[in-house]
Amino acid sequence: MLKLHDVDTLIGDLAWLDDQRQPMIDMVIDLCNQNSGTLHLEGVAKVHDKIREYFSILGGEMQSIDTTLWQTIDERGEMQVQQLGRSLHIVCRPESAFKVMLCIHCDTVYGRSDSFQTCRWLDEETLNGPGVADAKGGIVVMLFALQVFERSELAKHIGWEVIINPDEEIGSPGSLQLISARATGCNIGLLFEPSLPGGLMVSWRKGSGNFTFVVRGKSAHAGRDFHEGRNAIVAAAKLIAEIAALNGKEEDVTINVGQIQGGGAVNIVPDLAVVQVNARVMTNEQQKWILEQFRQLIKRIDEKEGISVTMHGDFYSPPKVLDAGTQALQKRIELCGQALGLDVKWQGSGGASDGNKFLAAGLSNIDSLGPNGGRIHSSDEFLLVDSLVPRTKLAALILLSLAAEQK
């Protein structure tokens, strides 16, 4: 069993990082000043190329991998497919018996037309900018942790892989196949989403599912032939009410109706409505419960004359529970933090990450090793730059402790 003394002996290998604060800040600003909203493919490609250049210093086999096509339902209720950006995949020492997966995304929620495009200083420690915490700061922490690790004689004892994907902010639909395939060849996962406010690290995460309900009726003139029509919006409204009524029936389950589209001229009975829904669950059993409830609601509406409903979507991020492997990794991280003078605390989160997908593929992981910051997904997003070096030391020390055990 890993002991504090064992970790203490490894801290000397981290000294190089003491002079890396400014280079890390400069790299964060460089990455964040280039927009990489998920659907801004040109911007995502530019950030991908920057990251590829930065990570080339590590060596290893590097590939840019096309994502699978993203399937969505448009406002007409029709399936559309869209190409997303490329993932960066790096493999180092693939022949090793013990391998670590390191992952984070390069896309942000800020599109190319968003007014929030560049970084600025709020004070000497606080950097405001698009993606400074979520998750370009995490990219920089990962890179510098790997750099200091590769400078150690211990590095030769384990292998590692890196995935930097371009679509996490929309649920990683295009990179899910890569994540699932590569997870099976590694022993543990380290992901670099930002910490929770106050520096807390994430223990468990809720599962998340996105669903589209396409409701079809029959159009008719609202004056002359009103009774011949079948109003899809009215049917969708009844469906929405029943979906919302599911809240509170299972503990910690939340179902949010986020968008409804349909209708046109008010003198026409609408024949189409499209409803977008997000569901969050704590357990796989709750996931199954929601799917069954949705199927029953659709069946009841389908039985009504002239109205049909089809459901698209699924739980692409299953619940991330505390399995034995994750608990063991938590204890390791607590010891590493103690050796560095960091008080590591844990808290669950209702938000999902790619850590959910890695666990679903069988890879235990911790997914909040990025820097401290907050107010993500808003123009107030900030990074506490003095957290960059300590969080990098923590990630590097985790790797060193794993390598020391494989000697």
Side-chain angles (χ1 to χ4, degrees):
M1 181 181 294
L2 187 68
K3 301 291 185 182
L4 180 60
H5 171 74
D6 301 323
V7 178
D8 283 338
T9 63
L10 305 173
I11 291 179
D13 284 343
L14 306 178
W16 176 78
L17 287 169
D18 291 332
D19 297 323
Q20 300 307 310
R21 178 181 184 273
Q22 192 59 50
M24 294 181 77
I25 292 172
D26 293 342
M27 191 177 293
V28 171
I29 293 173
D30 180 47
L31 291 173
C32 291
N33 281 345
Q34 171 58 60
N35 180 276
S36 58
T38 312
L39 301 183
H40 180 200
L41 299 189
E42 181 182 352
V44 170
K46 288 180 179 179
V47 167
H48 176 96
D49 290 342
K50 284 178 180 285
I51 295 169
R52 187 181 176 104
E53 181 178 354
Y54 283 140
F55 275 72
S56 64
I57 195 172
L58 297 173
E61 181 183 346
M62 181 181 293
Q63 290 182 293
S64 295
I65 299 177
D66 289 337
T67 49
T68 56
L69 293 175
W70 181 35
Q71 296 184 343
T72 59
I73 304 298
D74 65 17
E75 68 278 2
R76 298 167 299 176
E78 297 176 358
M79 180 75 71
Q80 300 293 326
V81 295
Q82 182 172 346
Q83 184 64 62
L84 298 168
R86 295 178 299 169
S87 294
L88 183 64
H89 182 226
I90 311 171
V91 181
C92 186
R93 293 182 291 276
E95 73 285 354
S96 298
F98 190 96
K99 293 187 283 294
V100 180
M101 171 63 68
L102 302 96
C103 179
I104 193 55
H105 60 96
C106 67
D107 62 321
T108 72
V109 297
Y110 311 105
R112 65 190 306 172
S113 61
D114 198 296
S115 60
F116 188 43
Q117 295 289 343
T118 56
C119 296
R120 66 189 180 103
W121 289 97
L122 301 181
D123 55 48
E124 291 183 355
E125 187 191 352
T126 312
L127 181 67
N128 166 242
V132 288
D134 185 24
K136 291 174 180 177
I139 294 172
V140 175
V141 168
M142 178 202 289
L143 172 59
F144 277 75
L146 284 171
Q147 283 189 76
V148 73
F149 176 67
E150 287 298 311
R151 296 167 69 91
S152 170
E153 286 294 321
L154 291 170
K156 62 187 178 183
H157 297 295
I158 65 173
W160 51 261
E161 293 192 27
V162 163
I163 292 177
I164 300 177
N165 57 329
D167 57 343
E168 191 272 347
E169 294 294 4
I170 59 171
S172 304
S175 53
L176 176 59
Q177 187 175 23
L178 175 63
I179 287 171
S180 300
R182 300 310 305 181
T184 58
C186 293
N187 299 86
I188 65 163
L190 305 176
L191 285 81
F192 291 80
E193 293 287 344
S195 66
L196 296 174
L200 294 170
M201 297 187 71
V202 177
S203 51
W204 52 262
R205 290 184 183 271
K206 282 188 174 184
S208 177
N210 292 325
F211 301 88
T212 301
F213 297 87
V214 179
V215 184
R216 298 190 184 276
K218 180 182 178 182
S219 63
H221 191 285
R224 295 175 57 180
D225 304 309
F226 176 77
H227 295 291
E228 293 184 10
R230 296 294 182 269
N231 194 309
I233 290 180
V234 171
K238 293 176 180 177
L239 174 66
I240 288 170
E242 293 198 61
I243 289 173
L246 295 174
N247 284 299
K249 292 187 175 181
E250 287 282 327
E251 187 176 3
D252 293 320
V253 168
T254 58
I255 306 171
N256 181 57
V257 179
Q259 186 181 88
I260 179 170
Q261 297 171 300
V266 294
N267 63 346
I268 300 174
V269 177
D271 64 352
L272 174 67
V274 180
V275 180
Q276 306 278 356
V277 174
N278 174 260
R280 306 273 169 153
V281 298
M282 288 289 293
T283 67
N284 291 326
E285 289 72 24
Q286 290 175 340
Q287 181 175 299
K288 294 175 184 176
W289 178 80
I290 282 185
L291 290 172
E292 180 57 29
Q293 295 301 310
F294 285 172
R295 292 188 190 103
Q296 291 300 321
L297 292 179
I298 291 171
K299 182 180 178 182
R300 289 201 295 271
I301 291 178
D302 265 343
E303 290 173 348
K304 297 178 181 178
E305 181 183 355
I307 296 292
S308 67
V309 183
T310 55
M311 182 179 75
H312 306 267
D314 205 342
F315 282 92
Y316 297 113
S317 290
K320 184 175 185 284
V321 299
L322 275 174
D323 68 332
T326 301
Q327 291 179 40
L329 188 51
Q330 283 183 319
K331 292 177 182 177
R332 179 181 299 274
I333 291 172
E334 289 168 4
L335 277 176
C336 290
Q338 186 177 351
L340 294 168
L342 303 174
D343 186 17
V344 176
K345 300 293 186 183
W346 305 92
Q347 182 174 302
S349 174
S353 82
D354 284 332
N356 295 60
K357 300 173 180 64
F358 276 109
L359 184 64
L363 186 66
S364 299
N365 65 87
I366 296 296
D367 60 10
S368 50
L369 286 163
N372 299 352
R375 297 178 184 170
I376 63 173
H377 294 195
S378 80
S379 59
D380 295 323
E381 180 176 348
F382 68 90
L383 167 69
L384 298 175
V385 296
D386 284 344
S387 71
L388 286 169
V389 170
R391 299 292 281 200
T392 304
K393 285 186 175 182
L394 178 61
L397 192 54
I398 296 165
L399 291 170
L400 289 167
S401 73
L402 291 165
E405 290 182 338
Q406 301 299 317
K407 288 175 62 176

